[in-house]
Amino acid sequence: MSEKEDLAKQKAEAAAKAKAVALARKQAKEEAAEKPEGEMDIAKQKAAAAAKAKAASLANKQAKEEAAEKPEGEMDIAKQKAEAAAKAKAVALARKQAKDEAAEKPEGEMDIAKQKAAEAAKAKAAALAKKQAKEEAAEKPEGEMDAAKQKAAEAAKAKAAALARKQAKAEAAEKPEGEMDAAKQKAAEAAKAKAAAAAKAKAAAAAKNRTAVQESEEVDTPSEISPNQSKLDQIVSAIESHVGQGALLENYINRLSKDVPTLVANPDTYFSIAKFLRYDEQLDFSYLSELHGTDFESHMEIYVHLHSFKMNQSVALKVKLDRDTPVIPSLVPLWSGANWPECEAYDLLGINFYEHPDLKRILLGEDWKGYPLRKDYEPYDVEV
């Protein structure tokens, strides 16, 4: 058969189809004009069904005729095209029918119809996705299957989250202002309750840790009497007998410094106590091993560490000074080793030791402004 004969045949078939469609429409109009409204709807539905059946029959017939003339490779392509066209046509018809039905329904039924259509579309999409996933899974090896499952799971989670957000927004948009405020308040209260619970749990954990630390400290702290307690009692008794009852402000065993007996002197009796410790025949603290000053912000403090070779015992002597006018007698007349430590305390903290033989700055120049070891020290020249 020549090309001209094929074209003529196709034109004749097209003309026949067009004529059949025109006649069907004309007949449907004539019947509709004679029928009442109820019968009209039934007639329309029957006519639409008949037209669909006739169109499907003609399409099948044409497809068979074309398939008989085509080789196997072209047949597969034609099938795919036909299936795609059928799907597209079915989707278009479904949309059109939904629109027609929606146009006839009141507002309440419209919302229900939309919800049903949305649910049906979701179910159809889910079914298609599952079918496609199964087909792809059948073709993939085990390693790719796991990766595909993970991706599918992640995609499903993301889709579910997006739908939940969209639904929440839609519900929020439909709620009146009063309900919106109530929802916000509930959310805020829930967030506050959650934060309070977290803070309470954190505080409980911190309290538990503090209790554990305190218990460990109590366990580590020796409960027995210090071996130096008897010597401290002896020294305190001797000072109170020779210097006076109010000479010492405090006395204790310093557990953090090798259980050294510690004496806290009154500024007025500081030199008298030091002199007694130095020259008493029973005590004889002849060696001064350390002297330094400290700024505690609320006051200044002098710490003196003495040792008695006769008693084979050390003792610490402390005195607290007024921070604005830190003045105290020098111990150089009692221990010559106090000379340079007192000059250092004067140089860096500004503590004045009166009756010192040569009190001067030994680290900084005489024209230096301020005392660097004071907590409130500010450099006169910031570039130095």
Side-chain angles (χ1 to χ4, degrees):
M1 190 181 286
S2 63
E3 291 181 3
K4 288 182 179 180
E5 289 176 352
D6 289 337
L7 288 170
K9 191 177 179 181
Q10 290 174 5
K11 285 180 180 179
E13 287 176 357
K17 286 178 187 177
K19 193 171 181 181
V21 170
L23 286 168
R25 287 178 183 169
K26 186 177 179 183
Q27 188 175 358
K29 284 181 181 179
E30 288 173 358
E31 289 174 357
E34 295 172 1
K35 290 178 183 178
E37 190 174 351
E39 293 181 6
M40 279 287 286
D41 294 336
I42 296 165
K44 280 182 181 179
Q45 290 174 2
K46 285 182 179 179
K52 284 180 186 177
K54 192 171 182 181
S57 176
L58 287 169
N60 289 337
K61 186 178 178 182
Q62 188 175 0
K64 284 179 182 178
E65 290 174 358
E66 290 176 357
E69 296 174 2
K70 289 178 181 176
E72 189 174 352
E74 292 182 8
M75 279 285 288
D76 294 335
I77 296 165
K79 280 182 182 178
Q80 291 174 2
K81 287 182 179 178
E83 286 175 2
K87 285 180 184 177
K89 191 171 182 181
V91 171
L93 286 168
R95 287 178 184 168
K96 186 178 179 183
Q97 189 174 358
K99 285 182 181 178
D100 293 340
E101 290 174 359
E104 294 172 3
K105 289 178 182 177
E107 190 174 352
E109 293 181 9
M110 279 287 286
D111 295 335
I112 296 165
K114 280 182 181 179
Q115 290 175 1
K116 286 182 179 178
E119 289 171 3
K122 285 179 187 176
K124 193 172 181 181
L128 286 169
K130 285 179 183 177
K131 187 178 178 183
Q132 189 175 359
K134 284 181 182 177
E135 290 173 357
E136 291 176 355
E139 297 173 1
K140 289 179 181 177
E142 190 174 352
E144 292 182 9
M145 280 285 287
D146 294 336
K149 282 181 181 178
Q150 290 176 0
K151 286 182 180 178
E154 290 172 3
K157 284 180 184 176
K159 192 172 182 180
L163 285 169
R165 287 175 189 166
K166 188 176 180 182
Q167 188 174 0
K169 285 182 181 178
E171 290 175 358
E174 291 173 4
K175 287 179 182 177
E177 190 174 353
E179 291 182 12
M180 281 289 286
D181 294 337
K184 283 182 181 178
Q185 288 176 0
K186 285 182 182 177
E189 287 171 3
K192 283 180 184 176
K194 194 173 181 181
K200 194 180 283 184
K202 192 174 180 181
K208 192 175 180 181
N209 290 337
R210 282 197 298 270
T211 305
V213 170
Q214 288 174 357
E215 288 176 357
S216 65
E217 286 177 353
E218 289 174 3
V219 170
D220 293 340
T221 303
S223 58
E224 66 273 6
I225 298 172
S226 170
N228 292 332
Q229 185 64 48
S230 60
K231 292 181 180 179
L232 174 61
D233 294 340
Q234 178 187 349
I235 294 167
V236 170
S237 178
I239 290 171
E240 289 178 347
S241 298
H242 292 81
V243 181
Q245 288 292 327
L248 290 173
L249 297 177
E250 188 182 357
N251 65 87
Y252 57 91
I253 296 292
N254 191 343
R255 297 283 189 178
L256 300 177
S257 183
K258 299 180 181 179
D259 282 15
V260 63
T262 303
L263 309 169
V264 181
N266 190 312
D268 298 332
T269 59
Y270 167 71
F271 186 81
S272 301
I273 292 170
K275 187 176 181 180
F276 176 74
L277 293 172
R278 171 69 180 86
Y279 293 113
D280 182 77
E281 291 182 0
Q282 298 297 322
L283 303 179
D284 192 23
F285 285 94
S286 59
Y287 177 60
L288 184 148
S289 62
E290 182 181 353
L291 186 152
H292 67 262
T294 307
D295 180 10
F296 286 95
E297 294 187 292
S298 59
H299 64 278
M300 294 284 188
E301 186 176 278
I302 296 293
Y303 177 92
V304 183
H305 196 274
L306 305 171
H307 186 77
S308 171
F309 294 101
K310 191 172 185 178
M311 293 180 66
N312 191 26
Q313 180 61 46
S314 295
V315 70
L317 177 63
K318 290 183 177 183
V319 61
K320 296 179 180 179
L321 308 175
D322 181 63
R323 194 171 183 277
D324 295 329
T325 55
V327 180
I328 199 73
S330 171
L331 298 183
V332 174
L334 305 176
W335 294 278
S336 59
N339 190 337
W340 284 83
E342 288 183 349
C343 287
E344 183 183 36
Y346 165 73
D347 190 8
L348 301 178
L349 289 163
I351 299 173
N352 188 7
F353 297 88
Y354 64 85
E355 295 186 6
H356 188 284
D358 187 21
L359 192 63
K360 61 183 178 180
R361 301 193 103 149
I362 57 174
L363 299 173
L364 305 172
E366 290 294 335
D367 58 346
W368 189 273
K369 305 292 183 182
Y371 305 100
L373 287 188
R374 286 200 176 207
K375 299 294 176 66
D376 57 355
Y377 172 70
E378 293 182 7
Y380 178 74
D381 187 351
V382 293
E383 296 181 1
V384 175

